[in-house]
Each structure stands twice: as C-alpha cells, then as structure tokens.
Amino acid sequence: MVAMIGRRRRIASVHASREAALADCQWRREQVVAYARFLEDARDPAPDYHIALIYKGELPKGWMPMPALGILHGRFI
C-alpha cells in the first residue's frame, strides 16, 4: 500500500494478498477521517492511500511500516 502525501509517494505497508491490502487501506482511510479536524490544522497535506504493486527490491533499506496517519513527532513523514 502506498501513501501519497502531497507529491511524495511513501510505501505505507506491504501485504501478501490484495484482500489484506484493501482492508488495511480502508482502515487507514477511516483513521484519516476520524482525525480530520487535526489534519485540517496541520501544515502538511493529509496522506491519500491507494494500492500499488511493490517488489521487494523497491523497498528502501531499513523500511518500516508507516503509522496509519503517517505521523511521527507531530509531522507527516
């Protein structure tokens, strides 16, 4: 699963099946809706999640799954 934050594309999570990716994508979108007020006040745009085929070789070295809202230390990553 991929998160688009502005023009930046970040790999949010990797799943073995499309069904698992779709379920996680839906959950992440619900989280964004739940925190809409917070996101309106944030300086950065909210992440937009979608499904994309990603090969292991495309993962950056040291990659870790991204939090649902893509937030660390109060900022989008």
Side-chain angles (χ1 to χ4, degrees), residues 7-52:
R7 291 182 170 214
R8 292 176 48 192
R9 177 180 179 248
R10 300 291 301 257
I11 300 169
S13 189
V14 176
H15 298 279
S17 71
R18 182 167 179 80
E19 292 76 24
L22 288 170
D24 188 38
C25 189
Q26 180 61 35
W27 177 80
R28 289 171 184 268
R29 287 178 179 153
E30 290 170 1
Q31 292 297 302
V32 170
V33 170
Y35 288 93
R37 177 111 177 121
F38 167 78
L39 297 174
E40 288 173 358
D41 296 336
R43 295 180 299 214
D44 300 319
D48 176 39
Y49 293 104
H50 64 276
I51 307 297

